[in-house]
Amino acid sequence: MAKRILVAGSSNIDFMLTTPYIPAPGETLLSGGKYAFTPGGKGANSAIAAKAMGADVIFCSRVGDDAYGDRLISLFNERGIDTRYIKVDRLEQTGLAVVMLEKNGTNRIIAFSGANSKISDSDIEGAFSAYPDAVLTQFEIRPDAVIAAARLANDEGIPLFVDAGSAKADFPLEKLERVEIFSPNEAETEILTGIRPDNLENCLRASISLCNRVDIKYVVLKLGERGCYVYDGKYCDLISPFDVNVVDTTAAGDVFTAALTTEYLRTGDILSSAKFANAAGALATTKLGAVNSVPTLEEVKNLLENKF
Ligand code: RIB
């Protein structure tokens, strides 16, 4: 039976603009590329990816009482997500992210939190009445809300999965108590530990530093084109990446962690789940957009079969 994952996180509309380079201060750059308003937000991307990978998803989020909020809720319903715990906030606008996409597929994002900043402890507590088997959250909502999700998961005895997306150096990691999988990307690892995971020794040092602050079962560092690094408190493994044609890296990390969570809940095997997540994350870089780049389960299986 499919596992029920409660995703507690943000919903945004992404304003995506392609640009040949990032302009200097005071410079006006005339970009000949394209722009689009597309669904995104780290929580929404993860919820849609977990559902696509075969989980039943309960999504706890907030949107504004506006056209963007309506569009997002309709999309979540279309994708078969349980939207009963998404609140429409009448005082706040729907979150918006400005995504500047460079030619090589890398991006820079400025996110306006809007309604996401109002996701409350009681919103999350309410969503536990849907009886989730696990909780997946990110750092794109208030730290107190993340900590509430962690406390509730620990109280209920269900596993907590944390994507450190949007990490801030002052996030009180110690308050998370117990985490099944903690997954930051390279930049987030450096923000949280002061260590850039640019070689195996630094991956290990950063992972140990995280485990010294939180009771983490598995640290999984997302290393982009170098694959991912798994540390279980004793042993470590570097899981190789998939060679794909990168178009846009937006949301690849969100898809990675959602796929990792879903596959790990299905199999209990961290290493094969990390390979699965590498495949899902790689596929997400081959298409433009956040939610629009979430692969199907079949696509992920095909990539895994061709590779091994
Ligand atoms: O991780 C990618 C996401 O970050 C985008 O969809 C954007 O909304 C920002 O939240």
Side-chain angles (χ1 to χ4, degrees):
M1 212 169 72
K3 294 288 184 185
R4 295 169 60 72
I5 303 177
L6 167 59
V7 178
S10 57
S11 302
N12 289 336
I13 285 292
D14 291 351
F15 170 48
M16 300 199 66
L17 182 71
T18 53
T19 177
Y21 63 92
I22 303 299
E27 178 184 357
T28 298
L29 168 63
L30 298 181
S31 164
K34 291 184 176 160
Y35 72 82
F37 288 89
T38 58
K42 295 186 194 304
N45 300 336
S46 303
I48 285 180
K51 179 70 189 174
M53 295 305 111
D56 281 340
V57 175
I58 305 135
F59 188 26
C60 177
S61 189
R62 280 204 190 207
V63 295
D65 186 11
D66 48 36
Y68 289 148
D70 292 348
R71 179 175 166 194
L72 287 166
I73 292 180
S74 302
L75 173 78
F76 303 145
N77 282 325
E78 273 163 31
R79 299 290 173 102
I81 288 169
D82 182 345
T83 56
R84 286 175 297 161
Y85 305 96
I86 300 178
K87 287 205 172 146
V88 176
D89 193 312
R90 307 211 176 273
L91 300 177
E92 298 286 341
Q93 292 174 289
T94 296
L96 178 100
V98 177
V99 182
M100 286 169 283
L101 179 66
E102 289 179 80
K103 271 189 181 152
N104 62 2
T106 56
N107 61 49
R108 285 160 206 251
I109 301 176
I110 303 171
F112 161 77
S113 291
N116 296 310
S117 67
K118 294 291 156 62
I119 296 172
S120 67
D121 300 13
S122 65
D123 289 357
I124 296 172
E125 198 167 350
F128 271 76
S129 56
Y131 298 108
D133 298 310
V135 175
L136 168 60
T137 191
Q138 312 79 23
F139 289 171
E140 209 170 46
I141 55 177
R142 287 181 313 112
D144 283 354
V146 176
I147 291 158
R151 177 178 42 79
L152 289 159
N154 288 324
D155 287 354
E156 289 296 318
I158 60 175
L160 171 70
F161 298 81
V162 178
D163 183 316
S166 290
K168 309 275 176 308
D170 60 356
F171 186 94
L173 280 182
E174 291 75 7
K175 292 194 178 166
L176 291 177
E177 297 175 17
R178 183 167 165 64
V179 178
E180 191 77 10
I181 298 181
F182 187 86
S183 186
N185 69 15
E186 290 160 291
E188 292 145 8
T189 302
E190 189 172 10
I191 288 167
L192 292 170
T193 66
I195 302 165
R196 181 98 194 147
D198 49 4
N199 58 45
L200 287 181
E201 190 192 335
N202 285 343
C203 286
L204 181 59
R205 287 177 55 228
S207 300
I208 291 172
S209 163
L210 290 167
C211 290
N212 284 340
R213 294 181 62 193
V214 195
D215 178 7
I216 300 172
K217 187 164 181 189
Y218 298 110
V219 175
V220 180
L221 305 182
K222 293 179 269 195
L223 303 176
E225 60 196 15
R226 291 182 294 139
C228 68
Y229 178 91
V230 179
Y231 176 69
D232 69 357
K234 205 168 173 191
Y235 300 104
C236 54
D237 278 275
L238 184 66
I239 312 293
S240 3
F242 289 82
D243 191 14
V244 292
N245 182 27
V246 177
V247 173
D248 175 10
T249 56
T250 308
D254 309 335
V255 171
F256 174 98
T257 311
L260 178 69
T261 300
T262 309
E263 188 66 4
Y264 175 78
L265 287 169
R266 189 155 46 210
T267 65
D269 184 326
I270 188 66
L271 295 181
S272 65
S273 301
K275 275 181 198 158
F276 180 90
N278 266 354
L283 286 166
T285 68
T286 63
K287 289 185 198 148
L288 274 178
V291 161
N292 295 348
S293 70
V294 173
T296 64
L297 181 56
E298 200 185 348
E299 286 169 334
V300 176
K301 285 181 176 166
N302 285 344
L303 184 58
L304 283 163
E305 276 162 22
N306 291 341
K307 172 89 182 176
F308 298 105

